[in-house]
Amino acid sequence: MEKKIIRHGNHVINNDTDGYMYSFNTSKGYNFNSHLHKCHELLHIVSGGLLYAVEGKEYSLSEGDLIITKPEEFHSFSFPKECEYKREFLHIYPGFLSRFPEAEEILNSRAAGELNLIPADKVKKYNIDKIFGEIEKYCEDVVPETDLMVLLCTVQIILKLNHIWVSDAPEYKSVLTDAKTNSICNYIDRHYSEDITAASVADAMFMSHSYASRLFKEKTGMTIKAYLNMRRVTAAKNLIMEGHKATSVFARCGFADYSTFYRAFVRYVGMTPDEFKNMHKGGDSV
C-alpha cells in the first residue's frame, strides 16, 4: 500500500479555541483507549476495518465510512485483526468557524452519542468523499488560499451533514455481535449508578473475572473498569451540564466518594468538574 502522510492546518498546539488541522496517514492498526478531544473530529476511513466506540456505542467501520465526534465526547477504537489502516481526519476548533456561526451551531446540535456514524453509501451519495479530496489536495500542495478553501470545504461538509441528520438519517444497531460482551455492556448501562466493580460485573454474568476482562478487552479495546468509569463520568457530565453541582452528582453516578470521582473526571475529561461546569454555564445549580 502506498504510504502517504499529509499534515497541515493553522491550529496552534495548546490553543483549544481556534484553527483546524487536517491529516492523511497510513499505519498498522493499533488500539487507542477511551479519550476525547477539545475539538470536533471528522474521521474518514479510506481503507481498513476497525471497531469504534463513542459514548458506549459500538460501530464497525470500513472503507468510506465517516465518524464524527464533538468536544467532550468519549471515543476509542480497536482493530479485530491486523491490517493497514488508511484514514484522513479534520479537527475543527471553535474559532475556525467564526465566519459561519450557523455551521458551528449545526455541529453542536447533535446530542452526545447520537448520529456519530455516516455510512459510506451516504458519504458517496452527498459527495462528502469528494470534498475531503479537495481538502487533501489543498493541504498537500499548500497555497496562500489553502486555509480559506479548507474553511469553505468544511462548511460544505457541515451543511451536507445537517441535511443527512434532518432528512436522511441512517438507522443504527449495535455491532457487538458477541452476546457475552453485549451482556456486560448492558449490565453496566443499567447498574453503573450502583456499587458495582469489574469483578462484580463478571460475577453477575457468571464468568470468572479474568475471562470476562480478557473477552471485553478483546472485543471493545477497553477494560471493564474503563468502560464503567467512562459510563459514570458521562452521566456526571450530563448532570453538570443540566446545572447540578459536581458535589451533588458523584454518588448518583456510582462513585463512592468525591475524591475518586474527581480523579476519574479529570482523567477522562481533561479538566476539573468546576472547569467543565464553567464551559457549560446556563443551568441553575441544584
Side-chain angles (χ1 to χ4, degrees):
M1 179 180 293
E2 178 189 358
K3 302 287 185 181
K4 179 191 291 187
I5 299 177
I6 304 171
R7 187 171 176 82
H8 178 75
N10 58 13
H11 169 66
V12 178
I13 300 298
N14 296 324
N15 176 2
D16 298 327
T17 62
D18 199 12
Y20 76 95
M21 180 59 64
Y22 172 81
S23 178
F24 186 109
N25 203 353
T26 303
S27 66
K28 292 289 186 181
Y30 59 95
N31 295 343
F32 207 124
N33 291 331
S34 183
H35 63 287
L36 46 77
H37 300 293
K38 300 293 180 65
C39 59
H40 294 273
E41 179 179 65
L42 280 63
L43 175 64
H44 183 222
I45 310 303
V46 180
S47 65
L50 64 152
L51 186 65
Y52 199 100
V54 184
E55 295 287 335
K57 293 186 177 179
E58 302 276 350
Y59 303 100
S60 180
L61 304 186
S62 56
E63 181 176 335
D65 288 337
L66 175 68
I67 194 86
I68 303 157
T69 55
K70 63 182 182 178
E72 277 64 71
E73 211 169 16
F74 289 115
H75 54 284
S76 64
F77 57 85
S78 59
F79 292 79
K81 59 183 179 180
E82 186 175 335
C83 69
E84 282 197 308
Y85 166 49
K86 183 182 288 188
R87 77 285 193 189
E88 57 186 337
F89 67 73
L90 181 65
H91 283 176
I92 305 169
Y93 292 83
F96 184 56
L97 295 172
S98 59
R99 300 189 211 180
F100 300 95
E102 297 88 351
E104 185 169 6
E105 184 178 346
I106 290 170
L107 285 181
N108 287 320
S109 67
R110 181 181 54 78
E114 300 294 334
L115 301 172
N116 297 92
L117 173 64
I118 306 297
D121 61 334
K122 295 191 185 296
V123 171
K124 286 189 174 295
K125 176 180 177 181
Y126 292 94
N127 294 318
I128 296 174
D129 54 338
K130 293 183 179 178
I131 301 175
F132 262 105
E134 290 295 308
I135 295 175
E136 177 189 340
K137 179 181 69 176
Y138 285 114
C139 290
E140 186 172 22
D141 298 312
V142 177
V143 293
E145 62 269 23
T146 286
D147 291 349
L148 176 59
M149 296 309 297
V150 172
L151 172 60
L152 296 177
C153 287
T154 300
V155 172
Q156 289 183 63
I157 291 175
I158 293 171
L159 293 176
K160 289 177 181 292
L161 291 176
N162 186 59
H163 180 78
I164 293 171
W165 290 333
V166 172
S167 305
D168 198 13
E171 295 183 3
Y172 304 108
K173 61 180 180 180
S174 173
V175 301
L176 282 177
T177 55
D178 179 80
K180 293 179 180 178
T181 307
N182 232 332
S183 295
I184 292 172
C185 286
N186 290 337
Y187 183 85
I188 291 173
D189 290 345
R190 293 195 307 271
H191 299 281
Y192 69 87
S193 61
E194 302 170 14
D195 182 18
I196 62 172
T197 64
S200 68
V201 170
D203 289 342
M205 298 294 102
F206 302 101
M207 304 178 196
S208 71
H209 186 196
S210 60
Y211 172 74
S213 298
R214 185 172 64 254
L215 175 69
F216 196 84
K217 177 73 173 179
E218 175 187 334
K219 297 297 183 181
T220 69
M222 70 177 75
T223 65
I224 294 176
K225 181 180 178 180
Y227 182 81
L228 175 57
N229 280 336
M230 183 188 74
R231 188 67 184 82
R232 285 171 168 168
V233 170
T234 298
K237 284 187 343 185
N238 290 336
L239 289 171
I240 290 172
M241 285 190 289
E242 290 173 6
H244 297 268
K245 294 179 179 178
T247 51
S248 71
V249 304
F250 73 90
R252 294 169 60 180
C253 300
F255 289 99
D257 53 67
Y258 184 76
S259 62
T260 302
F261 160 70
Y262 184 93
R263 290 194 300 270
F265 196 95
V266 171
R267 178 181 179 184
Y268 283 96
V269 182
M271 64 184 73
T272 69
D274 284 340
E275 289 171 338
F276 181 78
K277 184 178 181 64
N278 289 335
M279 289 179 57
H280 298 276
K281 284 183 177 178
D284 295 324
S285 296
V286 292

